[in-house]
Amino acid sequence: RVWVVTGTTPSRIIAYSDVEAYDDFGGAGGTTTITDETLTSSIQQILVANNFLYFFGVDSINVIANVQADSGGATVFSNTNLVANLGTTLPMTVVPYYRSIWYMNESGIYALYGATPRKASDDLDGVFDLIDFTEPVTAGTVTLYNELCVAFMFTYVDPTEGERQLMAIYLDKKWFLASQSAEIEGIATSSTGADTL
């Protein structure tokens, strides 16, 4: 199936395709409007991982699970709120990393393990004070020297050198900071198997 956030802003509508065709939203496909009171704004991002469809609001995270067609051919599923007070306004930072979901907001970087988010960026708190959140913030998984890492890229307002692109890269409970060419505008997950950023 294909799941798409649709509608005008603020969008709280998720459309889903038929079982038989990814581009057909009829048949067993359709739409659902998310009415959860924990979703106080638009859906910011959706992500399929660990056999769930996660959707992120500004201050909430929900999962859609148990998707099936009933005896009449209609699609049924469960919608469960995982987190009622901690989401993101940075949709390009939501990324799966091993069995967890990582994301960033203006207060830090979080790893969602099952139903529990844990702040993973305590060591970077001083860096967050100098991030320009009006510029794009992106994330992805990268392979560096045969090690799978998760990386977040943002504009850092360096007190001595001015604005520059900076990456916070996580591996084995450690953070590393890196800087690349100013021409790089963002990062995303690559599946080529080569070292990429």
Side-chain angles (χ1 to χ4, degrees):
R1 292 183 186 260
V2 172
W3 298 77
V4 179
V5 176
T6 185
T8 58
T9 302
S11 179
R12 300 167 68 98
I13 300 170
I14 297 178
Y16 47 90
S17 68
D18 192 0
V19 178
E20 301 296 327
Y22 67 90
D23 58 350
D24 180 7
F25 289 83
T31 63
T32 186
T33 300
I34 306 300
T35 59
D36 296 35
E37 60 187 37
T38 56
L39 181 63
T40 60
S41 63
S42 296
I43 295 171
Q44 301 294 304
Q45 184 64 285
I46 59 176
L47 173 75
V48 174
N50 307 325
N51 292 320
F52 296 106
L53 175 71
Y54 295 80
F55 64 90
F56 286 72
V58 170
D59 51 8
S60 64
I61 304 170
N62 282 41
V63 294
I64 289 177
N66 303 320
V67 179
Q68 50 193 301
D70 67 12
S71 59
T75 298
V76 293
F77 50 82
S78 65
N79 169 20
T80 305
N81 176 255
L82 297 180
V83 181
N85 59 0
L86 190 64
T88 186
T89 58
L90 306 169
M92 298 306 293
T93 68
V94 178
V95 60
Y97 181 54
Y98 291 109
R99 301 279 303 162
S100 58
I101 308 299
W102 287 60
Y103 65 100
M104 181 173 161
N105 60 32
E106 292 187 15
S107 66
I109 297 171
Y110 296 85
L112 180 67
Y113 296 97
T116 307
R118 179 182 60 82
K119 187 174 180 187
S121 63
D122 286 337
D123 294 337
L124 300 177
D125 282 349
V127 172
F128 269 77
D129 294 338
L130 298 172
I131 295 175
D132 182 354
F133 286 103
T134 65
E135 296 293 328
V137 181
T138 58
T141 54
V142 297
T143 304
L144 298 173
Y145 301 104
N146 296 320
E147 295 287 350
L148 184 65
C149 308
V150 63
F152 296 83
M153 184 172 176
F154 45 82
T155 300
Y156 178 72
V157 184
D158 192 303
T160 56
E161 298 189 26
E163 283 191 2
R164 62 187 171 122
Q165 292 297 316
L166 198 63
M167 289 175 281
I169 303 168
Y170 180 87
L171 171 67
D172 195 25
K173 301 181 183 177
K174 296 177 191 75
W175 285 100
F176 305 90
L177 296 175
S179 184
Q180 287 282 82
S181 165
E183 288 134 20
I184 296 177
E185 295 181 10
I187 56 176
T189 298
S190 170
S191 58
T192 63
D195 289 353
T196 55
L197 279 179

